[in-house]
Amino acid sequence: MTYKLAIVGFGTVGQGFAELLQEKRKYLKDTYGFDFEVVAISDPLKGSIYEENGINLKEVLSLAQKEGKIDGYKRGIKGWDSIKTIKETNVDIIAEVTPTNLESGEPGTTLIKTALAEGKHVITTNKGPIALFYRELMELARENRKLLKFEGTVLSGTPAINLALITLAGANINEIRGIMNGTTNYILTQMDTGKNYGEALKEAQGLGYAETKPDADVEGWDALAKIVILSNVLMHADLKVSDVERKGITGITLSDIKKAKEENKRYKLIARAWKENGRVKARVSPEKVEEDNILFHITGVNNAIQFQTDILGCVTITGPGAGRRETGFALLSDFVNIHCSLIDRCCEK
Ligand code: HSE
């Protein structure tokens, strides 16, 4: 069995996914018995390629790294936009990895809708379409009998959505709280060692953690998108972005951090969702966390989520929340899970 894939959006995450695909080809074949070809890559800034027999990922990654563009790739058809790529390349799975836009959800929403309507499975790390149009997109996927997977929208490749949906199936999740943004946690951790805010932000950007617009991280929008996704997917809520109270970390000074330290506390950007009078509410804001709370010990780019369940009590998952390969891995795991669903049995190792 050989899947044909298209990668739409070839920034940090798209490239991270391509790297992992290249490295894991043999492993996927030996372990799960399938092969794949990436036949198309499309990015409005970097260029696009359609090569029916499969793009050489090593070559294209090297071009992206050296030249910042992939136009110089020697073979295939060039210049197709993302919609044409989705419609005319005859692929099975679209990896949609364009940047998050929390206002309109575009271009991701149109790309995902087009892909589903054209009968393609979709894997995405794009928070905009899922935070804004989760129900509509899932309905479209169902109508077209295709799968839409979005593990990487929350906590990059650290299991969050599938952990709760699949492994915790049957448990009621009554409350969710956690550190859901790697950039701000990295900045706050660096500030705890005395570094200033600007320096720490630059480092986070250099490491590929930050969103295209840094405001999305430091003003809490990214964490807000994630808590909306978790609330709607796992707590049966119907929250909109505008329903959530939000405060970022830009008001926190080195002196605030020092004072918190004297009280044995640490500032963390906490996202929460809880039930109140039968409705789900959510908030994102910096909180001073005490040392005996697990979240106190989550540092750097690491994130953590605590699911308050009816049966198990509190279940905590922690791991990286951002990064090129870490988020690329979420796409890889969604891809493997689609394969497992299609062959109608659990993944076997
Ligand atoms: N910019 C995000 C973060 C990336 O820092 O967590 C993952 O959504």
Side-chain angles (χ1 to χ4, degrees), residues 127 153 180-184 209-211 217 222 226 303 321-322 327:
K127 287 153 283 204
T153 55
M180 301 184 196
N181 180 268
T183 302
T184 47
Y209 302 154
E211 294 297 299
D217 295 299
D222 177 75
K226 290 166 181 166
N303 285 186
T327 315

Side-chain angles (χ1 to χ4, degrees), residues 7-63:
I7 303 178
V8 178
F10 206 53
T12 309
V13 176
Q15 290 177 40
F17 178 46
E19 264 168 34
L20 291 177
L21 284 174
Q22 190 206 334
E23 287 170 27
K24 293 270 181 176
R25 186 185 292 277
K26 185 172 182 313
Y27 175 83
L28 295 176
K29 202 164 187 183
D30 292 350
T31 312
Y32 302 105
F34 71 84
D35 203 351
F36 64 87
E37 289 300 343
V38 174
V39 300
I41 298 175
S42 172
D43 185 291
L45 300 175
K46 299 192 169 60
S48 56
I49 306 165
Y50 169 44
E51 194 183 359
E52 214 182 342
N53 299 319
I55 293 169
N56 182 318
L57 293 176
K58 199 171 172 196
E59 245 178 73
V60 89
L61 281 164
S62 153
L63 275 175

Side-chain angles (χ1 to χ4, degrees), residues 131-145:
L132 298 172
F133 304 113
Y134 165 66
R135 283 178 207 291
E136 195 185 324
L137 293 174
M138 287 309 278
E139 190 49 42
L140 190 60
R142 262 188 292 273
E143 274 169 20
N144 288 283
R145 298 177 160 270

Side-chain angles (χ1 to χ4, degrees), residues 8 83 86 96-101 104-115 122 124 126-130 133 137:
V8 178
I83 295 286
I86 292 168
E96 192 280 313
V97 263
T98 63
T100 291
N101 172 337
S104 65
E106 295 298 349
T109 304
T110 299
L111 297 173
I112 294 173
K113 283 185 179 172
T114 307
V122 176
T124 186
N126 188 342
K127 287 153 283 204
I130 308 299
F133 304 113
L137 293 174

